[in-house]
């Protein structure tokens, strides 16, 4: 094996970034909470941009059910901690990486250490990890750390960015006054106000927010990683052009549509309230409808 050379390894990035910007990426630290569907592919995509410092957190192990979407999942990694597998895959790209690993996941007693020196936080937590997500978003808000969260919804990606000068995550999602199901719906609609993924569900019985289950795909996770990496690059290099909440974006590859939404007042916005009501009604209808095997447009 040849000697690793950072400049050679990431030389093909030059052109989209300058030599000086590549060195800035090398000195930047990105934190990623969760290394499952989106978190793992976030890590490797950002590593190939040449980002040289990471803080990662995950407490889970790989299972067979992860094979369809998680980049570290395979026969040879079954039962292994995700954080160990992704550590190995990361160092195979950049053996000189400065990595801080938190094998207990995101915890109240380690959140400050996890975010120490972090320039951007990337949300890779499970959709339903509301406690850890609220704690991390709040800590980032206190520390002035931008948060990029991309959700693999349908066969596409939704993207919302929080940071200084934008709307707070609590004002946008409105998690203070509802149970977990209400939080799930508000989170779903907050991520994707346009809800482009609604019309092509093949088997609606596989979606049940109350039971914490829904379909997923690697295609959507990879789209998430691509758009996230670009916004992280813009934030780290001060390029501008990143729209903060209450702006949100959704690209649906199945429909080949891109929609950007602006929801002043966040979840209190009349359009947002209407969409929340419609989604609740649709989810109730899905729970009562047997699968037909056909794709329906709204």
């Amino acid at each position: 094996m040849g000697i690793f050379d950072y400049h050679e390894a990431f030389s093909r990035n030059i052109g989209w970034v300058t030599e000086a910007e590549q060195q800035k990426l090398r000195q930047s630290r990105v934190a990623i909470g969760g290394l499952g569907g989106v978190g793992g592919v976030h890590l490797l995509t950002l590593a190939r941009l040449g980002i040289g410092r990471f803080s990662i957190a995950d407490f889970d192990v790989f299972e067979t059910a992860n094979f369809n979407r998680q980049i570290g999942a395979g026969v040879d990694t079954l039962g292994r901690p995700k954080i160990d597998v992704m550590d190995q895959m990361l160092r195979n790209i950049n053996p000189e990486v400065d990595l801080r690993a938190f094998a207990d996941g995101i915890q109240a007693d380690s959140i400050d250490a996890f975010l120490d020196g972090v320039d951007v936080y990337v949300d890779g937590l499970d959709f339903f990890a509301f406690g850890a997500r609220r704690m991390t978003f709040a800590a980032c808000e206190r520390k002035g750390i931008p948060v990029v969260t991309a959700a693999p919804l349908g066969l596409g990606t939704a993207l919302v960015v929080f940071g200084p000068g934008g709307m707070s995550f609590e004002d946008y999602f409105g998690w203070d006054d509802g149970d977990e199901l209400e939080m799930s719906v508000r989170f779903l609609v907050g991520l994707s106000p346009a809800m482009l993924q609604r019309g092509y569900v093949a088997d609606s019985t596989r979606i049940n927010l109350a039971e914490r289950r829904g379909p997923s795909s690697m295609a959507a996770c990879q789209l998430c990683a691509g758009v996230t990496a670009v916004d992280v690059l813009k934030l780290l290099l001060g390029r501008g052009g990143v729209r903060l909440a209450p702006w949100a974006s959704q690209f649906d590859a199945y429909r080949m549509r891109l929609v950007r939404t602006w929801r002043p007042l966040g979840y209190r916005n009349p359009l947002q309230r209407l969409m929340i009501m419609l989604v609740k009604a649709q989810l109730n209808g899905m729970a009562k409808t047997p699968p037909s095997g056909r794709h329906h447009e709204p």
Side-chain angles (χ1 to χ4, degrees), residues 201-263:
V201 178
D203 184 349
S204 61
T205 65
R206 297 291 180 145
I207 302 175
N208 191 313
L209 295 184
E211 296 178 4
R212 294 189 168 196
R213 58 182 173 86
S216 59
S217 80
M218 186 60 180
C221 292
Q222 289 177 320
L223 287 167
C224 287
V227 298
T228 294
V230 173
D231 266 10
V232 169
L233 181 146
K234 288 180 178 179
L235 289 165
L236 293 176
L237 300 181
R239 290 280 189 91
V242 177
R243 293 186 178 183
L244 303 176
W247 283 98
S249 304
Q250 184 177 8
F251 171 69
D252 189 281
Y254 190 89
R255 296 185 170 199
M256 203 53 64
R257 285 189 61 196
L258 170 66
V259 175
R260 305 195 81 170
T261 52
W262 184 57
R263 293 291 185 267

Side-chain angles (χ1 to χ4, degrees), residues 39-85:
V41 71
H42 282 328
L43 178 65
L44 300 190
T45 302
L46 293 169
R48 293 190 189 278
L49 276 182
I51 291 171
R53 300 172 179 174
F54 290 96
S55 298
I56 58 176
D58 197 290
F59 58 82
D60 206 359
V61 299
F62 283 115
E63 302 172 347
T64 306
N66 302 148
F67 279 28
N68 81 311
R69 70 197 182 284
Q70 299 195 15
I71 201 165
V75 173
D76 62 341
T77 64
L78 280 173
R80 290 185 58 192
K82 293 179 182 180
I83 202 163
D84 292 347
V85 173

Side-chain angles (χ1 to χ4, degrees), residues 31-170:
I32 303 174
L35 297 172
V38 292
V41 71
H42 282 328
L43 178 65
L44 300 190
T45 302
L46 293 169
R48 293 190 189 278
L49 276 182
I51 291 171
R53 300 172 179 174
F54 290 96
S55 298
I56 58 176
D58 197 290
F59 58 82
D60 206 359
V61 299
F62 283 115
E63 302 172 347
T64 306
N66 302 148
F67 279 28
N68 81 311
R69 70 197 182 284
Q70 299 195 15
I71 201 165
V75 173
D76 62 341
T77 64
L78 280 173
R80 290 185 58 192
K82 293 179 182 180
I83 202 163
D84 292 347
V85 173
M86 299 313 302
D87 182 328
Q88 183 178 355
M89 295 179 75
L90 172 63
R91 294 182 191 278
N92 203 34
I93 296 169
N94 181 1
E96 296 176 353
V97 69
D98 178 344
L99 180 65
R100 300 173 189 164
F102 295 78
D104 293 327
I106 292 177
Q107 303 292 336
D109 61 358
S110 60
I111 187 71
D112 286 335
F114 175 63
L115 294 175
D116 183 41
V118 165
D119 299 296
V120 177
Y121 171 69
V122 174
D123 180 20
L125 294 170
D126 181 88
F127 181 90
F128 299 99
F130 294 114
R133 181 171 281 110
R134 293 181 79 174
M135 178 172 62
T136 310
F137 279 30
C140 288
E141 193 170 300
R142 289 195 304 271
K143 296 172 182 290
I145 300 171
V147 174
V148 180
T149 183
L153 298 176
L155 296 172
T157 177
L159 177 76
V160 185
V161 182
F162 298 91
M167 179 176 283
S168 74
F169 75 99
E170 287 286 6

